[in-house]
Amino acid sequence: MDPNHRTNRAVAGLAAALLSCLLTATAACAAPGATGGGSPDPTPSGDSRRYGHAELEAAAARISAYLQREHPDHYAGIVLDPAGPAVIVYRRASAELDTALRRRFADVPLKLRDAPHAARELDALAERIRGDAEHWRRRGITITSVAARPDGTAVEVGTREVAKATAELPKRYGEAPLRVIGANPTLLTPSP
């Protein structure tokens, strides 16, 4: 089997696992005020009694697809609220988006949160960092993970060389919203 095909399949599997993780994000990611943005929307819209975990995941996927297609300059990310049955939507403030979202998904329990950056912006930065992995490896920094945070605050860059990466990455990416975290390499086992 071609090694690039294996890598692509492994990356696709990792992306699917990451999406699942993002949809069931930790309380730290989805905590009110975690974005540093405006005040949190304390009460979800919609009827939360109708939604179990699977239904919320399906609704979150539909909402995410809609926002990526119709509001890409505002949409940052989406997670399930760990505190109760609701979908938390992180977006750059937009009354038009909020109205459209509540109208189109009126039955879904939604909580809207402000985000400083759109996913499109963070994804472009994440792709640039991934493309620079060899550059960083030659400088003694092994990038083990790169992911845009669903709350729109930053691109998380995982490495074992946290202090060095924290000092060096801004030299290449300037004032880009980066968050360097400690992360060991993940061994990906390709599917048969």
Side-chain angles (χ1 to χ4, degrees), residues 5-174:
H5 180 69
R6 267 192 202 166
T7 301
N8 290 342
R9 286 179 58 191
V11 168
L14 182 59
L18 179 59
L19 177 60
S20 176
C21 288
L22 292 177
L23 289 175
T24 58
T26 63
C29 240
T35 65
S39 60
D41 183 6
T43 308
S45 62
D47 182 6
S48 61
R49 295 170 297 177
R50 295 183 49 202
Y51 284 85
H53 189 78
E55 292 84 8
L56 280 176
E57 281 186 344
R62 287 192 315 274
I63 293 166
S64 180
Y66 165 75
L67 291 173
Q68 287 177 48
R69 184 180 64 251
E70 300 296 327
H71 300 275
D73 293 331
H74 290 90
Y75 175 63
I78 198 164
V79 297
L80 299 185
D81 188 347
V87 174
I88 299 175
V89 177
Y90 291 98
R91 82 286 182 258
R92 296 174 80 182
S94 166
E96 179 185 333
L97 179 148
D98 293 355
T99 300
L101 192 59
R102 291 195 189 278
R103 185 177 306 130
R104 185 175 183 106
F105 299 97
D107 65 322
V108 179
L110 297 175
K111 291 183 179 180
L112 306 179
R113 301 280 190 276
D114 290 347
H117 304 281
R120 172 188 273 185
E121 174 187 353
L122 295 179
D123 289 342
L125 175 59
E127 189 60 34
R128 182 176 171 207
I129 295 167
R130 281 187 209 98
D132 290 345
E134 181 61 24
H135 165 85
W136 293 116
R137 190 192 63 69
R138 287 191 310 266
R139 283 157 182 75
I141 299 171
T142 302
I143 304 294
T144 58
S145 64
V146 179
R149 288 183 51 86
D151 62 4
T153 56
V155 170
E156 280 189 352
V157 179
T159 181
R160 285 186 285 188
E161 300 84 23
V162 174
K164 188 172 185 178
T166 300
E168 294 297 318
L169 268 64
K171 292 177 185 175
R172 187 166 180 95
Y173 305 112

